[in-house]
Amino acid sequence: MTNRFAVVLAAGQGTRMKSKLYKVLHPVCGKPMVEHVVDQIGKLHVNKMVTIIGHGAELVKAKLDGKTSFALQEQQLGTAHAVMQADSELANEKGVTLVVCGDTPLIQAETMEALMKHHVEQKAKATILTAYTDQPEGYGRIIRNDEGFVERIVEHKDATEEERTINEINTGVFCFDNKELFKALKQVSNDNAQGEYYLPDVIEILKAQGEVISAYQTKDMDETLGVNDRIALSKAEKIMRKRINEHHMRNGVSLIDPEQTYIETDVVIGEDTVIYPGVFISGETQIGEDCIIGPNSEIKDCVIGHQTTIRQSVTHNSLIGSKVQVGPFAHIRPDSKIEDEVKIGNFVEIKKTHFGKGSKASHLSYIGDAEVGSNVNIGCGSITVNYDGKNKYLTKIEDDVFIGCNSNLVAPVTIGKSAYIAAGSTITEDVPGEALSIARARQVNKENYVNKLKHNQ
């Protein structure tokens, strides 16, 4: 099999983004656009991938660590100059090299695979990925000969009226014979208005040497979208979101309104789960089968079991079991573990808590820094008082405990198995198993107090 290499161009600053964030790190559906490109290339089983970095180099390296090697372009002097920075890594290698821009997050592995296969079949020294568009203004046109090979690329400003009617355009993605690429790069001139070294000039150099220049046309123009500003970023986000949502629907997930459902790239969802409009699912979330995710819920980096319902709630960085009921308007904060058959009801907040199987907190409670056993009932308005202004402390509630409404459990404290806490109690000491703990002032009624108060005014 032919050796395969890839060069990802990711060194430009991206001034049109008007941002403090380096351009290729802007996220599309939750993942930096350059990472989308690198991940797709990773599916091609290349022998080596080199990402050309410049502005924000350390941040890009940190994001792509372990997925690619890097070469630094200290001065941004054009695309040919950028590829030249991979000379020490690739120049002596024999094989096929793919060159892709890091700001094209929609490019797919299948398209790049087809491009490389076509390149080898045509025995070309260079192959251009092209696309068909009804609006070719501003793009370089592909001029082919009678045999279908590329004669030249004509930029829009240099094209004749007849050439401007051509709808096949250059996408900026190329495939080269690796050794011929690096030989030709040394011949590229910067004799142009911008004083830069342009990669398409390699095509002209190879053509002048009588080499075969081919082209492969992708069926999807959207894949080649380059993101240079916030408008294009928004367009890429919309296209990517549609692609992701259709993937899940084909796999048996029901999206009530796909245009109003926001799912990031790495999310996994099981069959027969139903997702309602306004839902945001992000990070490395995994959702099981037969779940219901209600409107306007936000789920990030969670693992959720089967037959669980989440309604109008926020869940972050937590494990949520099967047959769990969450919400409406609940908040599961990071580092929580919710076991099977639990109910977390309206306006309940759970934080860094292990909540045992079959337990319930149905209304208006805060449970933080706690270990809650199985079959525990936590009454309305009850809270774990976990913070003294400086440190956090643990509350332990053992199995089968009943916590009455409006109780305060002042940590560190342990409530023993099958104990009862009377409503309105403030518990500051451990409660033995099967005990009833009452910690509230005795009621005192002062009769005729209001009349006496009025007469004294």
Side-chain angles (χ1 to χ4, degrees):
M1 182 177 177
T2 304
N3 289 330
R4 291 178 164 190
F5 310 99
V7 176
V8 180
L9 306 183
Q13 186 173 7
T15 55
R16 280 182 282 173
M17 296 298 288
K18 305 288 192 213
S19 176
K20 295 181 287 297
L21 182 63
Y22 178 46
K23 182 176 77 167
V24 297
L25 292 180
H26 278 267
V28 174
C29 290
K31 182 184 290 186
M33 63 176 87
V34 69
E35 191 172 4
H36 280 291
V37 175
V38 167
D39 285 350
Q40 290 298 312
I41 292 173
K43 297 177 181 181
L44 302 177
H45 306 294
V46 296
N47 297 75
K48 184 178 290 186
M49 185 189 329
V50 182
T51 298
I52 311 302
I53 53 177
H55 292 280
E58 292 306 314
L59 292 175
V60 177
K61 287 177 71 174
K63 182 58 66 173
L64 300 179
D65 184 43
K67 296 184 176 184
T68 176
S69 59
F70 301 95
L72 180 64
Q73 185 186 25
E74 294 183 358
Q75 290 182 286
Q76 280 67 62
L77 301 178
T79 50
H81 179 259
V83 177
M84 276 293 293
Q85 307 314 301
D87 184 88
S88 61
E89 294 265 4
L90 298 179
N92 295 322
E93 300 286 354
K94 183 179 180 180
V96 174
T97 295
L98 179 73
V99 180
V100 188
C101 292
D103 61 1
T104 54
L106 300 173
I107 193 76
Q108 297 189 87
E110 294 80 3
T111 298
M112 293 184 284
E113 178 70 41
L115 171 66
M116 299 179 86
K117 183 178 179 182
H118 178 86
H119 174 83
V120 173
E121 289 175 348
Q122 296 297 313
K123 298 180 180 178
K125 295 301 181 184
T127 302
I128 307 158
L129 181 66
T130 69
Y132 181 91
T133 176
D134 291 328
Q135 297 178 319
E137 289 77 15
Y139 290 99
R141 306 305 204 279
I142 301 298
I143 311 298
R144 294 179 183 253
N145 61 22
D146 294 339
E147 296 176 342
F149 292 110
V150 175
E151 284 288 339
R152 64 189 188 280
I153 303 172
V154 180
E155 295 303 320
H156 179 83
K157 64 181 183 299
D158 299 322
T160 65
E161 288 300 317
E162 182 179 358
E163 288 169 340
R164 289 186 180 186
T165 65
I166 295 172
N167 296 98
E168 186 179 17
I169 57 95
N170 173 26
T171 68
V173 178
F174 301 93
C175 193
F176 296 97
D177 176 281
N178 186 71
K179 287 196 172 183
E180 294 298 331
L181 167 63
F182 283 93
K183 279 195 275 184
L185 283 170
K186 295 174 182 177
Q187 302 175 48
V188 174
S189 168
N190 67 341
D191 186 15
N192 52 60
Q194 285 72 36
E196 294 188 352
Y197 300 88
Y198 294 128
L199 187 60
D201 289 353
V202 170
I203 303 296
E204 297 297 326
I205 292 168
L206 294 176
K207 182 65 180 177
Q209 294 173 357
E211 303 290 0
V212 173
I213 309 298
S214 187
Y216 175 80
Q217 187 178 111
T218 177
K219 297 178 181 178
D220 186 1
M221 175 71 179
D222 287 341
E223 279 194 53
T224 67
L225 175 68
V227 176
N228 292 309
D229 58 25
R230 306 285 181 144
I231 297 169
L233 183 66
S234 175
K235 185 177 180 180
E237 178 88 18
K238 185 174 183 179
I239 294 168
M240 179 75 77
R241 187 170 73 246
K242 181 175 183 288
R243 184 188 292 175
I244 292 169
N245 288 352
E246 289 179 353
H247 164 78
H248 288 296
M249 288 188 286
R250 290 190 185 98
N251 286 341
V253 178
S254 291
L255 305 186
I256 303 302
D257 186 353
E259 292 186 358
Q260 299 299 320
T261 304
Y262 305 85
I263 303 173
E264 289 188 355
T265 309
D266 295 330
V267 171
V268 177
I269 306 174
E271 289 182 3
D272 293 317
T273 285
V274 180
I275 300 176
Y276 283 80
V279 169
F280 285 74
I281 308 176
S282 62
E284 297 181 358
T285 293
Q286 299 178 37
I287 300 175
E289 298 180 357
D290 302 295
C291 294
I292 297 174
I293 310 299
N296 304 310
S297 293
E298 179 185 316
I299 302 171
K300 180 179 181 181
D301 290 318
C302 290
V303 176
I304 299 170
H306 306 301
Q307 301 177 46
T308 287
T309 297
I310 297 176
R311 295 183 293 158
Q312 291 97 349
S313 296
V314 175
T315 67
H316 284 188
N317 301 87
S318 295
L319 302 177
I320 300 173
S322 296
K323 298 181 180 180
V324 174
Q325 300 288 320
V326 177
F329 313 117
H331 188 184
I332 311 297
R333 289 171 58 189
D335 300 320
S336 294
K337 183 177 181 180
I338 312 299
E339 298 286 1
D340 297 345
E341 301 174 22
V342 162
K343 181 180 180 182
I344 305 296
N346 53 292
F347 301 103
V348 174
E349 181 176 352
I350 306 292
K351 174 254 179 183
K352 202 175 182 180
T353 289
H354 186 174
F355 211 89
K357 181 178 179 180
S359 293
K360 299 178 181 179
S362 297
H363 328 274
L364 300 158
S365 292
Y366 169 71
I367 313 298
D369 296 284
E371 294 177 3
V372 178
S374 61
N375 300 311
V376 170
N377 187 87
I378 297 176
C380 178
S382 296
I383 67 170
T384 60
V385 185
N386 59 328
Y387 185 46
D388 66 1
K390 184 178 181 181
N391 298 304
K392 302 287 181 71
Y393 297 94
L394 178 69
T395 297
K396 295 182 69 174
I397 304 173
E398 296 182 356
D399 297 346
D400 303 311
V401 166
F402 183 92
I403 308 292
C405 294
N406 292 315
S407 295
N408 300 310
L409 309 181
V410 182
V413 69
T414 297
I415 312 300
K417 179 178 170 60
S418 301
Y420 273 56
I421 304 298
S425 294
T426 295
I427 304 299
T428 59
E429 298 178 0
D430 291 349
V431 177
E434 300 187 350
L436 167 64
S437 183
I438 305 170
R440 60 192 182 204
R442 183 177 296 278
Q443 181 173 326
V444 176
N445 297 332
K446 294 184 179 292
E447 296 185 8
N448 298 318
Y449 175 80
V450 175
N451 286 332
K452 293 178 183 178
L453 181 65
K454 287 179 179 178
H455 292 150
N456 291 332
Q457 289 179 345

